[in-house]
Amino acid sequence: MDLGIRGKRALVCASSKGLGRGCAEALAEAGVDLVLNARGAEALEATAAAIRAKHRVSVVTVAGDITTETGRAAVLAKDPFDILVTNAGGPPPGLWSDWSREDFLKALDANMLTPIALMQAVLPGMMAQGWGRVVNITSVSVKAPIATLGLSNSARAGLTGFVAGTARQVARQGVTINNLLPGSHDTDRILALDSRIAQAKNIPLEDARAEQQAGIPVGRYGTPAEFGATCAFLCSQHAGFIIGQNVLLDGGATNTTM
Ligand code: NAP
């Protein structure tokens, strides 16, 4: 399917690896020029070079921490954007009783206030030109809380509320905002979480991973490519009637009727 977005320009945050990279790759395949961001310059440059070589689109890199004002200012200096994909690292796991006010503020900054600040910066330009697409990478934890990820449960719920209200205020100007909710996908993040499980249960990492995947109806983790393809569709010309939705990609793991 032609997504109808060839020649558009996208900012994809936190995109040298994992789900962000999956989104960047799928947008590049659709002919979208990219601004990519991550903290580590080496992996970022390697990803940019691979995407340029494979898809023949323009790829600009901005190394920096997207959760800081300086990091955001550096990527926003590359404005205007037709497409914004927000993303950042997820907060650390722990118990509900573990976290201090400082821990909550850090999680809110990374997973709620950063995507909100980025939307506030780019939405006016998108509205003025009458076309824009925003996809926020959130988490399955928005739909069904993950016991060990209370910081994620909290911060992402706040972002989801902001999007629900805002998406309906910008839709008439041709701008869509939606959230993508990853369940377990095979990235460094899930490897780190699996390593903790293996350590806690005193079992080999491969056994922990097999156990985790067996609990998913589809019987495996999702891939960044599958995730990216859904993101690219939400950014396409065909998705103009999809407003303020929370799209769950979890292989059936969340046992809900709707
Ligand atoms: P990942 O494989 O660890 O990749 C994270 C990417 O983000 C890397 O490119 C990393 O590069 C970059 N990054 C991290 N923190 C950043 C920051 N502050 N500023 C700029 N770039 C940053 O993680 P992932 O699995 O793709 O996860 C992406 C998001 O989805 C996370 O918020 C995660 O919690 C959420 N999520 C993932 C899953 C899953 O199954 N994978 C499930 C639910 C939710 P640098 O380290 O070099 O900055």
Side-chain angles (χ1 to χ4, degrees):
M1 183 192 288
D2 179 0
L3 297 184
I5 49 177
R6 182 166 299 280
K8 301 272 189 203
R9 197 156 178 272
L11 167 60
V12 187
C13 303
S15 52
S16 66
K17 297 179 188 167
L19 302 179
R21 178 171 178 164
C23 295
E25 296 258 8
L27 288 168
E29 193 176 340
V32 173
D33 293 325
L34 300 172
V35 176
L36 302 186
N37 149 265
R39 291 164 304 180
E42 201 179 319
L44 182 62
E45 291 308 330
T47 294
I51 293 178
R52 275 185 212 111
K54 187 167 177 194
H55 300 292
R56 308 270 159 216
V57 294
S58 154
V59 184
V60 172
T61 55
V62 183
D65 186 339
I66 197 67
T67 69
T68 64
E69 268 190 47
T70 320
R72 286 192 295 277
V75 294
L76 289 171
K78 307 293 178 191
D79 207 16
F81 302 110
D82 305 295
I83 295 168
L84 166 67
V85 180
T86 74
N87 186 28
L95 262 186
W96 61 270
S97 50
D98 286 348
W99 300 304
S100 66
R101 177 179 165 77
E102 280 314 305
D103 295 324
F104 276 103
L105 290 178
K106 212 168 158 196
L108 289 172
D109 253 339
N111 300 118
M112 176 186 169
L113 299 177
T114 289
I116 289 176
L118 290 166
M119 281 186 269
Q120 287 176 323
V122 305
L123 285 173
M126 291 178 176
M127 291 163 78
Q129 70 176 9
W131 197 94
R133 297 284 184 265
V134 178
V135 173
N136 300 293
I137 300 180
T138 66
S139 172
V140 62
S141 69
V142 167
K143 212 143 209 146
I146 300 170
T148 54
L149 291 177
L151 292 173
S152 170
N153 299 340
S154 309
R156 298 188 200 276
L159 172 62
T160 305
F162 177 84
V163 167
T166 306
R168 285 149 178 108
Q169 296 173 58
V170 301
R172 200 170 291 258
Q173 278 77 37
V175 179
T176 74
I177 314 178
N178 292 288
N179 302 321
L180 272 185
L181 283 52
S184 298
H185 285 72
D186 202 358
T187 67
D188 287 357
R189 164 87 172 163
I190 213 76
L191 193 60
L193 294 173
D194 285 347
S195 302
R196 279 178 68 103
I197 293 170
Q199 215 174 0
K201 292 188 166 179
N202 198 20
I203 57 173
L205 175 61
E206 279 322 302
D207 291 1
R209 284 172 69 78
E211 225 176 78
Q212 292 298 110
Q213 294 184 74
I216 303 172
V218 81
R220 62 170 177 84
Y221 288 146
T223 68
E226 289 171 317
F227 189 87
T230 310
C231 175
F233 179 77
L234 284 178
C235 295
S236 76
Q237 294 293 359
H238 312 296
F241 206 55
I242 305 177
I243 303 293
Q245 296 303 298
N246 291 283
V247 180
L248 183 61
L249 290 100
D250 72 343
T254 310
N255 195 24
T256 55
T257 303
M258 287 174 62

